[in-house]
């Protein structure tokens, strides 16, 4: 008698829609767990450490991330977006490029730390600001080890992303986060030192690299140097490099600018607001990297019509979600800080409200994944350039006119600078649907109304 047990179809036999739905479930659930862990860690650490500690670590992470983005050669994106099947020489060359990049990045980090130390000794920075703190160069130097560890990550991470094996990636990320969290909290309890945050970051990076080699399936990738594969990687990566360079300035350049204007404590408070906002931006980023980009890349290999259909549905979902959240945070975001943190971090409340409204601007990150999937990253570069230029213009103007509050408002406003270019791309490529574009204003108004109601109810309840 034949076995009646239903068989699970192999990955290759499942439709793209099935795999994207399966992957989205993993990403959504993992993001909720990840953000819950990050929030729990933040609540514990803000009671053990002073705001200055978060300001210093935020500056170190921003400077390091800037260098990471400035050296981005698009190795992962080249693997995910490759039209042909994988081969050992292509993956081996990609691994070699990644290792070389990690080593060079470590040297640049050390050089930057030395430069900051020398500049601070010559009173090049405003006293009391982040860059003038003598601990900053030493903390930067330790992050050179992170560069070496990240350069040693296995190519199995990229191939798993290409194949939408999201469950494996999710488990790896969560275990890495837990390792870093455990080290940070343990050391913070013992030492009450800012160095606990640095040690936790290194522990998380080491765990991720080790697991990428030991846990993810696949044949061992032996580093090699194949000129044809190198040309393919750099041909795609040159646009990724330029886009990442300008993209960092557009998405995180405000931290570099605010670090030289705000006190260490004020910058630490801003970091708390940005961390809370990351509960949403982190989810969007994970969906873009692990689901939308590989999904659209595969859909384009099946045909432009299928890719356009999938893009439209994903964009509509993003518009509704981001519109609702932006509206609620704009009206009631300060209550999150009031309920979770002590009075030292109260300023993060109004910052979260302002930044929350700017959250709506990232809805077109979905479209940017379509630009990459269609091998047209120049559009992303141009859009990021507009946002970066607006930051350079608006933040100094906002700070001059309104101080700290004016600068934060400028951060939110600058994120909308790329919208006209996004609409032009959609019009040129037949992706523009005005009926679909009407969704985000409706979602935003609904979110504002819900946020107003939450604010009124909490005000009546807690201020009696």
């Amino acid at each position: 008698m034949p076995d009646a047990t239903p068989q699970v179809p192999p990955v290759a036999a499942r439709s793209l829609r099935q795999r994207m739905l399966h992957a989205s479930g993993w990403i959504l659930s993992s993001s909720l767990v990840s953000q819950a862990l990050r929030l729990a860690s933040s609540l514990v650490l803000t009671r053990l450490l002073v705001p200055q500690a978060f300001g210093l670590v935020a500056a170190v992470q921003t400077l390091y991330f800037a260098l990471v983005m400035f050296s981005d050669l698009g190795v992962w994106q080249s693997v995910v977006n490759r039209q042909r099947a994988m081969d050992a020489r292509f993956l081996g060359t990609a691994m070699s490029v990644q290792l070389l990049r990690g080593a060079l990045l470590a040297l640049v980090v050390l050089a930057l730390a030395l430069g900051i130390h020398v500049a601070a000794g010559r009173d090049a920075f405003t006293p009391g600001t982040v860059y003038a703190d003598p601990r900053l160069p030493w903390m930067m130097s330790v992050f050179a080890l992170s560069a070496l560890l990240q350069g040693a990550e296995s190519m199995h991470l990229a191939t798993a992303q290409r194949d939408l094996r999201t469950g494996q990636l999710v488990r790896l990320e969560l275990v890495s986060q837990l390792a870093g969290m455990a080290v940070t909290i343990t050391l913070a309890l013992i030492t009450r030192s800012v160095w606990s945050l640095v040690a936790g970051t290194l522990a998380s990076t080491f765990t991720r690299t080790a697991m990428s080699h030991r846990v993810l399936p696949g044949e061992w990738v032996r580093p090699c140097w194949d000129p044809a594969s190198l040309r393919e990687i750099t041909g795609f990566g040159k646009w990724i490099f330029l886009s990442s360079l300008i993209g960092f300035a557009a998405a995180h350049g405000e931290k570099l600018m605010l670090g030289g204007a705000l006190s260490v404590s004020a910058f630490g408070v801003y970091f708390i607001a940005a961390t809370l906002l990351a509960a949403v931006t982190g989810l969007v980023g994970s969906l873009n990297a692990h689901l939308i980009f590989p999904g659209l890349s595969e859909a384009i290999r099946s045909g432009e019509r299928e890719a356009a259909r999938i893009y439209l549905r994903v964009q509509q979902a993003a518009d509704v979600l981001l519109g609702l959240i932006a509206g609620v945070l704009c009206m009631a975001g300060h209550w999150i800080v009031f309920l979770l943190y002590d009075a030292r971090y109260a300023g993060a409340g109004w910052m979260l409200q302002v930044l929350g409204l700017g959250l709506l601007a990232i809805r077109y990150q979905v479209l940017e994944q379509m630009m990459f999937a269609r091998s047209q990253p120049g559009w992303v570069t141009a859009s990021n350039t507009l946002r970066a230029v607006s930051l350079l213009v608006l933040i100094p103007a906002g700070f001059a006119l309104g101080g700290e509050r004016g600068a934060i408002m400028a951060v939110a406003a600058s994120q909308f600078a790329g919208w006209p270019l996004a609409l032009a791309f959609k019009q040129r490529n037949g992706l523009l649907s005005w009926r679909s574009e009407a969704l985000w204003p409706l979602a935003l108004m609904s979110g504002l109304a819900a946020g107003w109601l939450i604010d009124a109810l909490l005000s009546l309840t807690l201020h009696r």
Side-chain angles (χ1 to χ4, degrees):
M1 183 175 179
D3 186 1
T5 304
Q7 299 296 312
V8 178
V11 171
R14 291 153 64 187
S15 70
L16 175 61
R17 179 175 179 274
Q18 288 176 318
R19 282 185 287 140
M20 288 188 71
L21 287 174
H22 180 74
S24 65
W26 271 106
I27 293 172
L28 287 172
S29 59
S30 69
S31 291
L32 290 174
V33 174
S34 177
Q35 295 305 328
L37 291 174
R38 186 172 288 112
L39 177 60
S41 176
S42 174
L43 292 176
V44 172
L45 292 172
T46 51
R47 284 156 174 81
L48 297 174
L49 304 174
V50 295
Q52 289 92 329
F54 295 97
L56 279 171
V57 171
V60 172
Q61 290 178 342
T62 301
L63 290 169
Y64 175 71
F65 188 51
L67 295 175
V68 170
M69 298 299 287
F70 290 174
S71 61
D72 188 4
L73 300 176
V75 175
W76 274 35
Q77 292 92 330
S78 298
V79 174
V80 173
N81 198 53
R82 195 176 197 232
Q83 300 299 313
R84 291 178 287 144
M86 290 294 105
D87 60 77
R89 295 195 65 80
F90 180 84
L91 289 176
T93 303
M95 185 69 187
S96 297
V97 172
Q98 182 175 275
L99 286 168
L100 179 61
R101 176 201 176 211
L104 293 175
L105 182 58
L107 293 176
V108 174
V109 169
L110 292 174
L112 178 61
L114 178 61
I116 292 175
H117 176 72
V118 172
R122 296 180 178 179
D123 298 324
F125 306 118
T126 303
T129 59
V130 176
Y131 300 137
D133 194 295
R135 293 170 291 180
L136 184 64
W138 296 104
M139 295 172 68
M140 279 293 299
S141 299
V142 175
F143 265 70
L145 182 56
S146 282
L148 294 175
L149 289 171
Q150 289 179 335
E153 287 179 347
S154 171
M155 280 293 108
H156 295 156
L157 287 167
T159 55
Q161 182 176 328
R162 172 186 170 91
D163 298 335
L164 290 176
R165 288 184 273 122
T166 312
Q168 298 171 356
L169 295 174
V170 163
R171 287 189 288 269
L172 184 147
E173 296 290 351
L174 288 178
V175 171
S176 301
Q177 183 180 353
L178 282 169
M181 179 178 170
V183 171
T184 301
I185 293 178
T186 300
L187 291 179
L189 284 168
I190 296 172
T191 67
R192 304 296 175 100
S193 169
V194 64
W195 286 97
S196 59
L197 296 169
V198 178
T201 301
L202 289 178
S204 178
T205 305
F206 174 80
T207 303
R208 174 186 166 91
T209 299
M211 289 185 65
S212 71
H213 288 280
R214 301 293 298 176
V215 175
L216 294 179
E219 296 183 3
W220 172 259
V221 177
R222 185 182 300 276
C224 65
W225 202 257
D226 178 52
S229 298
L230 181 63
R231 285 192 297 271
E232 184 176 345
I233 292 170
T234 55
F236 185 80
K238 63 184 178 182
W239 283 108
I240 300 295
F241 167 77
L242 184 59
S243 178
S244 296
L245 185 71
I246 301 173
F248 170 83
H252 302 281
E254 88 283 354
K255 295 185 181 71
L256 294 178
M257 301 177 70
L258 293 175
L262 302 181
S263 68
V264 182
S265 294
F267 193 64
V269 171
Y270 174 80
F271 176 74
I272 294 299
T275 299
L276 290 171
L277 193 70
V280 181
T281 59
L283 171 60
V284 173
S286 294
L287 288 169
N288 282 332
H290 300 299
L291 175 66
I292 297 173
F293 174 58
L296 289 174
S297 295
E298 181 167 336
I300 285 177
R301 291 193 285 269
S302 300
E304 291 287 343
R305 180 176 297 181
E306 175 68 6
R309 184 184 67 83
I310 291 177
Y311 160 73
L312 184 60
R313 298 183 72 170
V314 173
Q315 184 67 73
Q316 289 172 342
D319 289 350
V320 172
L321 177 66
L322 292 173
L324 288 171
I325 296 174
V328 170
L329 288 179
C330 180
M331 298 300 295
H334 60 290
W335 285 108
I336 298 176
V337 176
F338 177 83
L339 295 171
L340 296 180
Y341 296 92
D342 60 55
R344 295 175 299 170
Y345 300 92
W350 70 261
M351 293 182 185
L352 183 59
Q353 287 181 278
V354 174
L355 296 173
L357 186 59
L359 183 66
L360 184 65
I362 70 173
R363 57 182 288 265
Y364 274 142
Q365 286 186 9
V366 175
L367 183 64
E368 291 177 358
Q369 306 313 305
M370 186 64 161
M371 295 171 181
F372 281 129
R374 292 171 63 98
S375 297
Q376 295 177 293
W379 284 86
V380 182
T381 302
S383 178
N384 286 335
T385 301
L386 290 176
R387 292 200 295 268
V389 170
S390 68
L391 276 174
L392 290 173
V393 173
L394 293 179
I395 289 182
F399 190 78
L401 294 174
E404 181 181 295
R405 190 174 294 269
I408 302 302
M409 293 177 68
V411 171
S414 66
Q415 301 306 307
F416 292 89
W419 276 30
L421 200 65
L423 290 172
F425 177 86
K426 294 180 75 170
Q427 178 67 43
R428 175 174 295 190
N429 291 275
L431 300 173
L432 184 60
S433 167
W434 291 111
R435 181 178 179 182
S436 178
E437 290 292 323
L439 281 177
W440 71 261
L442 295 174
L444 177 62
M445 288 187 289
S446 299
L448 290 170
W452 176 85
L453 181 60
I454 292 171
D455 178 58
L457 292 174
L458 289 174
S459 296
L460 287 173
T461 302
L462 299 178
H463 290 168
R464 285 179 177 176

